[in-house]
Each structure stands twice: as C-alpha cells, then as structure tokens.
Amino acid sequence: MRPHPVASRPTISARAPEALYRDHQVPPAEELHATKFINGRNRISTATITDLQEWKTLGRAVAIQCLEELARCPDIRVGAVFRRTTLKGNAYYQERGRVYAELVDRWNEEHRVESTFTIISMDGNGTDPTYFDTHRSLELDTRHIIEDPTFHDSRRSQLVQMADLVAYTAFMSLNRHPGNKFAWNWHANYLAASDVAGGPIEI
C-alpha cells in the first residue's frame, strides 16, 4: 500500500468490525490474513461451520465486504508492484530485495518532487536486514523517506491486514489460473478506482 499523508478525517468506518460480526460472526479482534481465511484455512468466525467449502464461501464474502469498505474510503489510495521470476531460494531472496529497493527509490522520488515526507510501515518483526539496508542507502540530501521501516504485528494492525488484502487481490488479478478465478476481477471491481496507477505495476 502506497504511503499516504494522514487524512483529516477517519478513512475506515468505525462500524466496519461491527458489520463483520453482525453479518458473519467474525470477532473484531480476529486477524484477517487473506491467503488463509479466503481459502478456508483460518476459522475466523464463531459461526457453526463444519465444511471446508462453507469456510471458503464465508472467507470470500468477508473479503468482498472488506474490499467494498476500502472502495468507499476517499482518503485511501492503494497500489502494488510486481516482478515475474523463476528464481528460487537465496536468488529469489536477493531478487525480492532488489524489487523492494526499486519501490523505495520510486516512492522517494515521488515525495521529493512533491516536497513531502513519508514513513513506511510493514508487517513483520524487523529481523530482515534487506529493508534497513535499502533505507540507509538513500542519499541524505535527497531522502524523503524518514527513518527505517516500522514493523507491526499484523494480528494487531488493521492497516497491515488491509494492505495484505490489497496485495492478495493484486496477485489474484495477475496469477490467473483456474483455481483463482473467483478473485480475478476483485481488483478491477473494488480497487482500481483507488489504485494510484490503475493496477499493479511491473518493475
């Protein structure tokens, strides 16, 4: 999710968690990890459900409700970048680092042009040095990304969970094998209008 200045008014309705509980019996404190609950692997609801397909149906209904809420928020902008690769293991890890570095350079330049500053927040525990090294390689005189990235436990951050859902939705729009058909058009239907580039950018 693209860093964005703090909005002057709330961006997500305070009633959104209540609606999920009312409609699907999903407790407000439940973590919504897209790849798990959408595929029925996380039991996110207190409803009596015994069949895996029912869990998938519920998970996808919850995802759509969350995407609809995001689409209604005028202050939220989203975005995604990607790179296709066949690399594996350490080579994949190195390639992922290069993609992140290019994304940070892109953001830094955008904020330099706009004379704004931003902080990057992300999921995780902050043990991967790739992210810190990328930030500290930025030239101080032209740096518009403040500090190292800040890390948040996704279980306690609804913003991180929203970013996770955006990333999942962008991936489904790109990875169009038959098993993903249910989500091929989620990005176009719910997020395209809020996407800073209209869709995922290959870098």
Side-chain angles (χ1 to χ4, degrees):
M1 188 175 288
R2 186 189 191 282
H4 194 70
V6 176
S8 60
R9 60 184 184 276
T11 55
I12 292 291
S13 169
R15 295 188 297 274
E18 295 176 9
L20 286 181
Y21 187 74
R22 181 195 65 224
D23 298 339
H24 306 290
Q25 297 179 44
V26 177
E30 186 68 35
E31 179 185 12
L32 299 180
H33 192 289
T35 58
K36 295 180 180 178
F37 81 85
I38 293 172
N39 292 311
R41 295 200 296 271
N42 268 21
R43 304 306 189 240
I44 60 172
S45 173
T46 59
T48 303
I49 299 176
T50 58
D51 181 75
L52 176 60
Q53 187 55 49
E54 289 185 73
W55 279 110
K56 289 182 179 180
T57 299
L58 180 140
R60 291 164 191 181
V62 168
I64 288 173
Q65 190 162 332
C66 291
L67 289 168
E68 289 173 340
E69 186 69 29
L70 280 172
R72 283 193 291 267
C73 296
D75 298 313
I76 285 184
R77 297 292 178 268
V78 303
V81 298
F82 70 96
R83 178 173 298 171
R84 300 183 190 277
T85 182
T86 58
L87 297 174
K88 297 180 180 179
N90 187 61
Y92 175 84
Y93 170 80
Q94 297 295 330
E95 184 74 351
R96 187 186 68 176
R98 287 189 287 271
V99 170
Y100 181 73
E102 289 187 34
L103 177 60
V104 167
D105 285 342
R106 182 184 292 255
W107 280 339
N108 194 62
E109 178 61 16
E110 288 175 2
H111 285 280
R112 186 193 66 78
V113 169
E114 297 170 3
S115 296
T116 57
F117 294 85
T118 192
I119 294 175
I120 295 177
S121 297
M122 58 200 316
D123 184 17
N125 54 20
T127 58
D128 188 336
T130 301
Y131 304 115
F132 298 102
D133 293 344
T134 295
H135 285 235
R136 295 183 184 191
S137 69
L138 294 170
E139 295 291 336
L140 289 177
D141 291 344
T142 58
R143 180 171 177 165
H144 284 252
I145 293 179
I146 301 170
E147 271 288 350
D148 296 328
T150 57
F151 292 87
H152 300 276
D153 184 342
S154 62
R155 291 173 296 180
R156 300 185 180 185
S157 173
Q158 291 182 341
L159 284 173
V160 171
Q161 292 174 41
M162 282 188 277
D164 176 65
L165 180 58
V166 170
Y168 178 92
T169 303
F171 181 71
M172 291 297 104
S173 74
L174 297 167
N175 187 29
R176 295 195 165 217
H177 69 69
N180 295 338
K181 191 172 183 178
F182 67 92
W184 284 359
N185 296 319
W186 280 4
H187 187 280
N189 291 343
Y190 303 108
L191 298 181
S194 302
D195 195 307
V196 292
I201 301 171
E202 186 168 12
I203 64 173

